[in-house]
Amino acid sequence: MKEYLKHDEWSIIEEGFKPEYNRISESVFSIGNGHMGMRANFEEQYSGDSLQGSYLAGVYYPDKTRVGWWKNGYPEYFAKVINAPNWIGINIEIAGESLDLAHCEVLDFRRELNMKEGYLERSFTARLKSGKEVAVNAKRFVSLPAKDIGAIRYAIKPLNFSDSIEFTPYLDGDVHNEDSNYDEQFWDEISREIPTEDEGYLVSKTKKTGFVVCTGMKFSLTQGGRTVQLNPIPSEKKQYVSHTFTVDCKEGEETVLFKFGCNVTSRDYPEAELTDICKKLLNTYAEKGFGVLLHEQSRAWGMKWATSDIIIKGDVAAQQGIRFNIFQLNQTYTGEDERLNIGPKGFTGEKYGGVTYWDTEAYCLPFYLATHEPHVAKQLVVYRYKHLQKAIENAEKLGFKNGAALYPMVTINGEECHNEWEITFEEIHRNGAIAFAIFDYIRYTGDHEYMVEYGLEVLIAISRFWAQRVNFSEAKQQYVMLGVTGPNEYENNINNNWYTSTLACWTMKYTIESLGYVKSKNEDKYDDLIAKVNFNFEEETTKWLDILEKMYLGEDSKKGIFLQQDNFYDKELIPAAELPAEETPIHEHWSWDRILRSCYIKQADVLQGIYLFEDQFDKETIERNFDFYEPLTVHESSLSPCVHSILAASIGRREKAYEMYVRTSRLDLDDYNNDTDDGLHITSMAGTWMSVIKGFGGMRVQNGEAYFEPFVPGNWEALAFKVYFRGHLLSVMATKEKVAISNQSEEPIRLHLFGARHKIEPNGVVEVDAK
Ligand code: BGC
C-alpha cells in the first residue's frame, strides 16, 4: 500500500517527483472520454520507467493466442485494444540539452487530475546539467463534447537564463504493446503528411483488423499572450511527423505551446475521407482555442457530476476515493456507441486488453442505469444482443446445438478470446449475468418493450444452453451441472456450483415468464421470434420446467447453508484471518495446487447469488451464509468486497459493510494490491459505487418503485447522492440524524423510505429521522 497522493475533495494530487511510482501515477492520472484515453505519460521525452499508453475505443488487434496445450474450442487470438499513435509528444531542447526528467534535477513537481473539470495538469521546475532552470506547466484533456479532440497547453519559463528553446511537437505511430504475445508491431503506416507549417498527419492501419486511424496535430505558440510567427523545419520518417522550431525565451517570461490532437477512425467515418475529416475537425477546434475548449470541457463534466456525484462529509479521503471512481467510470464509457463496452482497465493500461468481461453486466450496469438517461445502459444490453449470433457459434464450437448460446468470457466482437480452459469452457456463469442484466435493465427502467424487441431472443438462447449443459444424474435422480468454475476462480472443474446452477434455473424460469409476457403484449412479434429461432414451445419449456423441478442445488439443510460446490465441506475450513500475513495474498505466495485444494474463496460466489436474488431469501438465511462464507473469502479479486459490503449492510452489519467498502474505495489511489501500475480497476470502481448506493443508501427497485434505507457509515458526517430513476432525478441526503429525499423533476414520484411509502411532489422533499 502506498499513500503518496494528497487528499483533496475534487482533485488527485501528487507532489514531489517519484520516478519509482511513475507507472502507478501514469495509471492514476489517466484521462479519457469514452472514445479515446491515455495514460499520464509526459509530453516531453522521458527516458525513465514508463508504460506508454494511448488507446482508441474499439480499435483492436487479434493477438495470436499463446498456449502450451491446444484444446479444441480455444480462440485463435486475444483481442487487445492496442496502444495507438501518440499525439501528445512535444520534445524540448535547451541549448543542446534535452528536457528529460530522468536526466535532470526535478524540483516542485506536482501533478493534478482535476476531476471537477476533467483535465490533467503537471508542473515542475527542472534544473538541467548545464545549471539552467526552467519551470513547466502542462495542462491537457481529451474533450468530452468533441470526442475526437484532445488539447495541450504546454508552458515553459526560463528561470535563470535567456536563450533560445527548441520545440518539437510530433506524432509518433511507431508504438507497440508491452504485452504483445509475439512482440509484433500492430500498426502499418498508410501515409503521412505535413501540409502546412503548423499541422501534421499520420494515417495508420492496424494489421489484420484493418482499422484505419488518422491522427492529426496542429499547434501555435504564444509569448506574452501574442502569437509568435514560427519557422518550423518539418521532418518525417516512417510513422512519424514533426516540426522543429526555436524560439527566443527570456528569463522569467512564459512561452506557451498549444497543441491540438485529433484521432478519427474508420470505425466512425469513411476510410477515404479520414484525413479530410481530421483536418477539418482539427482546424475547427484549434480555431476555438484551448480556453474555449477547456470551458466546454468543464461544462460537460459539470453535467456529468450533476447526475452522478456522491458527497461524503467528514472524510476527505473517502470523498476523493468515491469521486475518483465515478470520474473514471465516466471517462471510460459514455454510452454513445453501441459497439463499445467497458474494459476492466478502461483506457489506463494494457491488462485485460480493454475488452469485455462479465464485469459489465454484474458490476457496471447499475452505475450507468442510475447515473444516466436509460439509453446509456441500454447500449450495454444491446451490445450483447448484437453478439448473440457469435455466442451461438461459440456454443456450437463446444458441441451445443439448436440455437444454444454461450457468451464469451472475454470478447470485443462477440468471439471468445479467453484461453484458459477452466475459465473459457467452465466459467459459464457469465451467461447468467447477461440474462440477469436484461432483467435488471427492465426492472430499473421499466422499458418492457426491450423484452419484446431484444431480450427474449437472448434469453431463449441462453436457456437452451443451460438445458443442454445440465445432465440427469441417475444416482441422484436430479439434474446436475458438472465441470464448472464459479466466480471463485480458486476452485476449478467443480460440480454443482450453487451460484451457476441457481442462475441457470432462474434464467429458464425468467425465460418462460418472458415468453408469456411477449405473447400477451405483441403476438405478431412473438410469432415472428418463435419462427425465427425455431422454438418448440411445448418440448423446450417442458424440459426447462423439468429441470427447474429436479435441479440439484447443494445445501446443508441442517445449517441452512448453500454449498458452493459438492465438495466444499470436504475442505479444511480455516478462517482467512488465520492465514499468516506473509502468505497473503495467497495467489502471490502459494502454489496453484495448494490454492485449489484450499477453502479460500477469491471472490463472492454463493454470496454473489444471494446478492442477485436477495429478495428470495430471508434475513436469517442471508446471515447464515454470510457468516459462513465471509470468513473464508480472501477478496483477491477487487470485484468481491462490494458484494459483501452490500449484503452486510442489508443485514444490519454496518461496521462490516464499511470495512468491506474501505477495501476497494481507494484501491488504486493507495495501490492496495500493488498492481495499479498495470492500469486502474475500472470495473471494481463500479462495485464501489454500488456499495454506496445499494449498501449505505439501501437502494433497491421492486415492482417499479424505488426503496431506500440510507445510513451514514463510519466516521462520515453525511452522505448524499443522486440517482436517475424512471425519468426522475432523486437526491438522497443522509446525516446521522436525518434522511431526506428530494424529487428534482417535474412529475411526482412514489417511493419507499425505511419501509414507508411516500409521494414526493416535483421539487418536493420527504424527510424522516435516520435509523
Ligand atoms: C476476476 C473475474 C473478472 C476479471 C476481470 C478476475 O480477477 O476473477 O471475475 O472478470 O478479473 O475483471
Side-chain angles (χ1 to χ4, degrees):
M1 177 156 156
K2 302 171 192 68
E3 285 182 293
Y4 69 98
L5 300 170
K6 260 191 89 181
H7 293 174
D8 181 277
E9 292 192 348
W10 275 109
S11 283
I12 310 301
I13 298 167
E14 176 186 7
E15 283 175 345
F17 186 46
K18 296 167 196 71
E20 69 283 14
Y21 291 167
N22 190 44
R23 279 187 184 232
I24 302 173
S25 294
E26 284 177 335
S27 303
V28 169
F29 290 84
S30 293
I31 50 174
N33 65 0
H35 169 69
M36 60 174 157
M38 57 179 51
R39 292 169 58 80
N41 305 130
F42 298 164
E43 286 85 2
E44 75 280 352
Q45 179 192 341
Y46 182 60
S47 56
D49 187 32
S50 161
L51 173 65
Q52 293 292 306
S54 185
Y55 311 95
L56 295 171
V59 176
Y60 72 96
Y61 179 81
D63 202 16
K64 201 164 166 323
T65 296
R66 255 182 119 107
V67 281
W69 179 24
W70 187 265
K71 306 204 171 39
N72 283 341
Y74 266 178
E76 300 286 331
Y77 68 93
F78 191 101
K80 287 176 179 159
V81 174
I82 50 179
N83 194 10
N86 166 9
W87 65 268
I88 62 165
I90 303 171
N91 284 340
I92 305 287
E93 224 177 270
I94 302 161
E97 204 179 335
S98 275
L99 177 63
D100 175 346
L101 296 197
H103 290 291
C104 56
E105 206 179 323
V106 185
L107 313 160
D108 312 322
F109 183 91
R110 187 177 192 277
R111 246 195 276 228
E112 175 176 351
L113 184 63
N114 184 315
M115 302 186 287
K116 194 171 190 176
E117 298 177 47
Y119 65 83
L120 166 66
E121 185 168 12
R122 181 172 59 107
S123 54
F124 57 86
T125 298
R127 187 177 294 146
L128 307 187
K129 294 233 160 62
S130 60
K132 291 194 160 85
E133 286 180 22
V134 284
V136 172
N137 177 281
K139 215 182 229 192
R140 77 167 182 251
F141 58 89
V142 282
S143 170
L144 207 52
K147 69 181 177 59
D148 306 304
I149 298 293
I152 304 171
R153 179 189 186 277
Y154 194 92
I156 186 162
K157 180 161 62 172
L159 295 180
N160 59 356
F161 68 96
S162 295
D163 203 341
S164 58
I165 296 184
E166 186 184 276
F167 294 79
T168 306
Y170 65 89
L171 298 176
D172 182 11
D174 185 17
V175 292
H176 63 278
N177 267 46
E178 271 193 3
D179 72 353
S180 152
N181 280 337
Y182 295 90
D183 280 338
E184 279 176 274
Q185 287 294 106
F186 297 148
W187 294 95
D188 281 326
E189 181 188 271
I190 299 291
S191 64
R192 53 180 187 265
E193 191 188 344
I194 301 184
T196 63
E197 288 202 325
D198 57 1
E199 284 170 60
Y201 297 89
L202 268 186
V203 181
S204 323
K205 187 175 189 167
T206 56
K207 293 182 198 251
K208 295 188 187 168
T209 35
F211 292 108
V212 181
V213 175
C214 179
T215 308
M217 67 165 173
K218 185 175 172 78
F219 56 87
S220 62
L221 188 128
T222 63
Q223 281 182 324
R226 273 197 296 277
T227 304
V228 177
Q229 186 62 39
L230 305 169
N231 292 309
I233 303 169
S235 165
E236 54 176 283
K237 57 184 181 188
K238 198 164 169 237
Q239 298 183 301
Y240 179 91
V241 291
S242 70
H243 290 271
T244 299
F245 47 87
T246 19
V247 184
D248 290 333
C249 297
K250 288 210 183 70
E251 185 174 330
E253 287 182 18
E254 201 172 60
T255 298
V256 183
L257 177 71
F258 293 99
K259 183 179 181 191
F260 300 90
C262 181
N263 281 296
V264 289
T265 81
S266 56
R267 291 180 71 260
D268 296 323
Y269 303 102
E271 195 177 313
E273 293 166 33
L274 282 178
T275 310
D276 286 347
I277 293 170
C278 191
K279 284 180 183 170
K280 215 160 139 194
L281 284 171
L282 199 49
N283 278 291
T284 309
Y285 285 97
E287 182 71 23
K288 277 191 171 190
F290 187 90
V292 174
L293 294 184
L294 184 59
H295 179 70
E296 290 174 358
Q297 172 81 342
S298 144
R299 213 173 41 205
W301 272 101
M303 281 159 74
K304 286 270 177 209
W305 287 114
T307 55
S308 60
D309 193 20
I310 292 178
I311 296 169
I312 295 170
K313 290 274 175 233
D315 186 339
V316 178
Q319 175 68 83
Q320 184 184 42
I322 196 67
R323 285 212 171 112
F324 182 63
N325 292 351
I326 296 167
F327 181 68
Q328 293 297 347
L329 287 163
N330 280 327
Q331 290 208 110
T332 305
Y333 183 76
T334 57
E336 273 152 30
D337 184 340
E338 67 183 22
R339 299 162 298 171
L340 297 179
N341 207 282
I342 303 154
K345 300 263 166 200
F347 299 114
T348 70
E350 296 178 359
K351 200 173 173 199
Y352 296 125
V355 292
T356 312
Y357 285 65
W358 73 303
D359 304 29
T360 294
E361 285 77 14
Y363 299 90
C364 301
L365 184 68
F367 171 81
Y368 296 99
L369 274 172
T371 56
H372 290 77
E373 300 278 0
H375 72 271
V376 170
K378 184 175 178 183
Q379 299 282 42
L380 291 172
V381 265
V382 169
Y383 176 90
R384 295 294 193 173
Y385 173 79
K386 298 253 161 142
H387 288 181
L388 177 59
Q389 209 40 48
K390 293 272 189 206
I392 292 173
E393 285 163 26
N394 186 40
E396 277 168 1
K397 281 187 201 150
L398 309 188
F400 294 86
K401 45 191 193 308
N402 188 32
L406 175 59
Y407 277 91
M409 188 65 192
V410 173
T411 193
I412 192 146
N413 61 2
E415 286 168 12
E416 178 64 88
C417 289
H418 202 288
N419 60 40
E420 287 166 76
W421 65 269
E422 60 278 26
I423 294 178
T424 314
F425 305 137
E426 297 202 331
E427 210 176 323
I428 51 178
H429 65 79
R430 66 215 188 218
N431 238 15
I434 289 160
F436 189 83
I438 297 171
F439 166 75
D440 208 15
Y441 167 76
I442 295 174
R443 167 175 67 175
Y444 197 94
T445 59
D447 177 9
H448 293 281
E449 191 52 28
Y450 186 83
M451 183 59 79
V452 180
E453 282 294 322
Y454 305 97
L456 184 58
E457 192 173 340
V458 172
L459 289 177
I460 290 174
I462 294 179
S463 286
R464 282 172 160 172
F465 172 81
W466 292 129
Q468 293 170 44
R469 186 60 171 75
V470 299
N471 65 279
F472 191 72
S473 155
E474 285 301 330
K476 283 195 166 69
Q477 287 294 300
Q478 279 183 298
Y479 287 94
V480 290
M481 200 182 311
L482 307 179
V484 291
T485 296
N488 171 25
E489 293 171 348
Y490 286 179
E491 294 186 315
N492 299 147
N493 203 33
I494 52 168
N495 296 327
N496 298 313
N497 171 246
W498 183 85
Y499 172 72
T500 309
S501 299
T502 300
L503 209 49
C505 290
W506 173 85
T507 312
M508 288 182 273
K509 188 163 170 276
Y510 183 49
T511 309
I512 294 172
E513 284 165 20
S514 304
L515 281 159
Y517 175 80
V518 173
K519 189 167 188 201
S520 70
K521 283 287 159 193
N522 191 332
E523 195 143 6
D524 289 347
K525 275 260 166 68
Y526 176 83
D527 290 342
D528 289 350
L529 180 63
I530 296 302
K532 177 179 173 192
V533 302
N534 205 9
F535 191 66
N536 186 328
F537 184 88
E538 199 48 41
E539 199 181 293
E540 298 195 51
T541 58
T542 304
K543 171 86 181 174
W544 297 353
L545 287 168
D546 195 45
I547 297 170
L548 287 179
E549 195 191 322
K550 299 182 193 136
M551 187 73 192
Y552 170 75
L553 295 166
E555 185 175 357
D556 172 352
S557 46
K558 274 205 207 108
K559 290 198 185 139
I561 308 281
F562 303 121
L563 287 184
Q564 187 167 286
Q565 48 105 350
D566 280 0
N567 295 112
F568 197 77
Y569 264 6
D570 297 331
K571 295 188 163 192
E572 233 182 323
L573 302 177
I574 307 168
E578 291 177 29
L579 282 166
E582 64 279 10
E583 292 182 24
T584 60
I586 57 171
H587 74 94
E588 278 179 17
H589 297 89
W590 285 15
S591 68
W592 195 237
D593 157 73
R594 193 172 171 197
I595 290 177
L596 291 177
R597 287 184 290 107
S598 83
C599 66
Y600 299 117
I601 302 170
K602 180 185 181 189
Q603 67 199 90
D605 195 303
V606 166
L607 296 185
Q608 182 86 25
I610 293 182
Y611 153 70
L612 289 186
F613 304 115
E614 196 189 6
D615 49 350
Q616 296 175 18
F617 306 106
D618 56 35
K619 187 170 173 238
E620 291 69 35
T621 306
I622 301 176
E623 276 172 342
R624 279 193 306 272
N625 283 277
F626 187 85
D627 289 339
F628 180 72
Y629 285 110
E630 159 49 28
L632 303 175
T633 308
V634 287
H635 300 291
E636 289 184 11
S637 161
S638 62
L639 299 177
S640 185
C642 60
V643 172
H644 287 236
S645 177
I646 296 167
L647 285 182
S650 80
I651 54 176
R653 309 262 180 92
R654 293 183 173 182
E655 274 177 33
K656 189 77 192 171
Y658 184 60
E659 178 197 320
M660 287 287 114
Y661 169 79
V662 168
R663 284 181 82 130
T664 51
S665 70
R666 295 182 54 88
L667 179 76
D668 289 312
L669 288 181
D670 295 336
D671 194 19
Y672 263 51
N673 286 357
N674 268 328
D675 61 356
T676 301
D677 51 347
D678 284 344
L680 304 175
H681 298 80
I682 300 294
T683 52
S684 120
M685 292 179 174
T688 308
W689 175 91
M690 287 203 300
S691 311
V692 176
I693 308 299
K694 297 187 180 196
F696 310 148
M699 185 181 182
R700 300 288 186 276
V701 174
Q702 263 175 19
N703 302 323
E705 295 192 349
Y707 290 67
F708 296 90
E709 301 205 346
F711 69 93
V712 179
N715 56 352
W716 300 357
E717 286 158 17
L719 167 68
F721 60 86
K722 293 197 174 162
V723 285
Y724 256 124
F725 181 67
R726 302 208 174 188
H728 299 86
L729 182 62
L730 301 174
S731 172
V732 179
M733 278 159 287
T735 62
K736 301 265 186 202
E737 292 78 38
K738 293 271 176 211
V739 171
I741 303 185
S742 61
N743 173 14
Q744 303 180 352
S745 56
E746 283 163 18
E747 295 292 322
I749 184 168
R750 287 192 163 77
L751 54 75
H752 303 251
L753 182 55
F754 297 121
R757 192 162 184 257
H758 299 268
K759 181 178 179 192
I760 316 182
E761 297 298 336
N763 299 314
V765 184
V766 55
E767 190 181 75
V768 299
D769 287 342
K771 295 219 163 129

